[in-house]
Amino acid sequence: MKLDTQDKLDLLEKIIAGYERAVAAFSGGVDSAFLLSVARDVLNEKLLAVTISSPVVPPREVEEAEGIARTLGVEHMVITSNEMEIEEFRSNQPDRCYHCKMSLFSRMIEIAKERGYRCVMEASNQDDMNDYRPGFRAIQKLGVKSPLVEAGFTKEEIRTFSKKRGLSTWDKPAMACLASRIPYYEPITLRKLEQIRKGEEFLVSEGFRLCRLRHHGRLARIEVHPSEVNRLFSEPLREKIAEYLKSLGFQYVTVDLEGYRSGSLNEALDELKDQGRKNRD
């Protein structure tokens, strides 16, 4: 039976109420802020938000998460994590997110047990199920709850309800870990992550709210919203961006004429898998 959005909200509240006491993985993004807001109304003080601080998370995202949790009046904890210690993550295989999520959520489960919480929940939504998400396999394996998926919430519905609830995140651009800017099978290094972080922060400072800096070795590939692609070629902005990115160590700077699209590096995944197998043989 297909539920309307109000029915989905009622179902979501019922699902969360069944947790009784829960830890919420909280990135400060659209989905996790909506989930935390609803969970706060249902569980009150029986809720703990946990945010990860690591080399793959821009510091501004952690700061924003702290501010949102404070505004919502939810107990909040920031824990440090270093995915760079995980070989399967550093080598950047297509299942890197599986190993990352296994590590991160295992840590959150330990925190939940230590503090007397019954479960850990996270904010994947129904639309996420349509993309390549090896991390979700780890979430399911560990028994982490995904109430937004269970209630059938789409990204658009989450944004709509977030706006109704007065959440500042309702129109926040999508965000993913910085490692997602590096093509599969190309090793993830701290230097690459730093180049990506600084490059994207620069683009945001120039007014591009939705942007990605894809790291292709010496080449930087910029993705912005399709409506803003032409602006990248305006002077003196074009020269300013190229000069800054080259100062970060890139030799070439290019623009993706298709603009931003979620998971664009997954488009060549099958071909890259085949190539990776050949390289290992």
Side-chain angles (χ1 to χ4, degrees):
M1 181 179 66
K2 186 175 182 180
L3 301 177
D4 62 30
T5 49
Q6 184 58 50
D7 287 337
K8 288 182 181 182
L9 182 59
D10 293 341
L11 176 57
L12 178 63
E13 291 175 343
K14 182 179 179 180
I15 292 169
I16 294 173
Y19 300 158
E20 298 184 7
R21 291 177 57 83
V23 169
F26 182 54
S27 68
V30 180
D31 303 332
S32 67
F34 171 67
L35 179 60
L36 192 68
S37 174
V38 176
R40 184 276 314 268
D41 292 348
V42 175
L43 300 177
N44 298 307
E45 73 282 356
K46 299 175 182 178
L47 175 67
L48 171 65
V50 176
T51 298
I52 300 296
S53 174
S54 86
V56 302
V57 179
R60 70 176 185 276
E61 294 294 315
V62 178
E63 293 171 4
E64 288 181 15
E66 289 178 312
I68 295 168
R70 187 164 50 248
T71 298
L72 291 175
V74 175
E75 183 181 0
H76 185 225
M77 175 187 296
V78 177
I79 61 175
T80 58
S81 175
N82 192 349
E83 294 82 356
M84 299 303 291
E85 296 176 356
I86 305 172
E87 169 58 29
E88 293 88 349
F89 180 83
R90 290 198 312 273
S91 62
N92 202 13
Q93 301 294 312
D95 65 346
R96 65 158 189 261
C97 291
Y98 172 81
H99 300 285
C100 177
K101 296 298 185 186
M102 283 293 290
S103 174
L104 295 181
F105 280 102
S106 293
R107 179 103 175 269
M108 289 192 190
I109 289 171
E110 289 177 3
I111 291 172
K113 289 179 178 178
E114 290 170 359
R115 302 195 52 166
Y117 291 91
R118 296 191 60 179
C119 68
V120 174
M121 61 179 166
E122 60 87 42
S124 295
N125 66 66
Q126 193 62 47
D127 292 338
D128 292 330
M129 302 300 100
N130 300 323
D131 195 7
Y132 175 66
R133 301 274 176 172
F136 194 71
R137 182 161 51 91
I139 287 168
Q140 291 178 307
K141 185 173 182 178
L142 290 170
V144 173
K145 309 297 184 181
S146 301
L148 295 177
V149 173
E150 189 174 345
F153 269 93
T154 65
K155 191 77 168 189
E156 182 179 355
E157 290 168 339
I158 291 169
R159 289 190 184 278
T160 298
F161 268 108
S162 294
K163 187 175 183 180
K164 289 180 179 179
R165 298 176 74 87
L167 296 173
S168 62
T169 53
W170 76 269
D171 65 342
K172 183 176 181 178
M175 181 62 193
C177 92
L178 298 178
S180 66
R181 284 43 158 189
I182 303 172
Y184 295 117
Y185 300 109
E186 292 188 13
I188 298 169
T189 66
L190 290 175
R191 181 173 185 271
K192 290 178 182 178
L193 295 173
E194 186 73 356
Q195 287 176 304
I196 294 165
R197 180 184 67 80
K198 289 182 176 180
E200 290 190 355
E201 287 179 350
F202 181 79
L203 291 170
V204 170
S205 73
E206 292 296 329
F208 296 98
R209 293 188 70 227
L210 180 59
C211 60
R212 294 288 186 269
L213 184 64
R214 308 295 185 186
H215 195 297
H216 299 270
R218 294 183 298 170
L219 184 147
R221 175 167 61 91
I222 300 171
E223 293 180 12
V224 297
H225 191 277
S227 65
E228 294 191 298
V229 169
N230 286 340
R231 182 168 167 250
L232 287 169
F233 297 100
S234 64
E235 298 293 357
L237 184 58
R238 179 197 63 79
E239 183 177 358
K240 185 178 181 181
I241 292 173
E243 182 178 343
Y244 181 78
L245 293 183
K246 286 189 174 183
S247 75
L248 295 179
F250 293 105
Q251 187 170 356
Y252 307 101
V253 178
T254 187
V255 175
D256 192 318
L257 297 181
E258 290 188 74
Y260 166 78
R261 55 213 183 276
S262 178
S264 67
L265 290 177
N266 289 339
E267 294 170 1
L269 186 58
D270 289 339
E271 179 182 344
L272 287 170
K273 283 182 178 179
D274 291 340
Q275 185 59 50
R277 294 189 191 98
K278 291 178 183 177
N279 291 341
R280 292 193 297 271
D281 291 343

